[in-house]
Amino acid sequence: MTRDYSLVIMFMLRTEALKLYRNILRQLNNLPDKEQRKEIKDWARSDFEAHRHHEDENTIRSLLYQGQKQLEELEKSIRRANS
């Protein structure tokens, strides 16, 4: 039973990570500068790849939290740049 629960948790965390990644990519469409868009996309991809190996639930949750905060900062920066 514990293993099944662990698999469900890991599936949910993976889903959250993919959702975060897609949200980052969506925000990039709001950037007018194509070079900046590419740089941030490359950064996001490499950051997600660098942390792909983590299996500890708390570590993954912490990374997701940090990623969400970075997404919020990106959104604020894009709003400021476009206003």
Side-chain angles (χ1 to χ4, degrees), residues 35-66:
E35 186 60 34
Q36 218 176 21
R37 203 179 302 162
K38 183 185 178 328
E39 286 177 22
I40 295 173
K41 181 180 179 181
D42 291 345
W43 162 80
R45 176 174 285 167
S46 68
D47 209 39
F48 274 79
E49 280 295 322
H51 297 291
R52 185 179 200 162
H53 68 282
H54 291 290
E55 295 181 4
D56 178 63
E57 179 183 345
N58 291 329
T59 301
I60 297 169
R61 287 186 189 280
S62 175
L63 289 166
L64 287 171
Y65 177 79
Q66 291 171 19

Side-chain angles (χ1 to χ4, degrees), residues 14-29:
R14 182 176 189 278
T15 301
E16 285 297 311
L18 290 171
K19 179 180 170 185
L20 175 61
Y21 186 71
R22 284 192 304 267
N23 285 339
I24 291 168
L25 295 182
R26 278 190 200 103
Q27 281 302 312
L28 295 180
N29 292 330

Side-chain angles (χ1 to χ4, degrees), residues 1-13 57:
M1 184 71 153
T2 303
R3 178 158 164 69
D4 291 339
Y5 175 76
S6 179
L7 289 174
V8 170
I9 294 296
M10 294 308 284
F11 175 79
M12 291 171 51
L13 291 173
E57 179 183 345

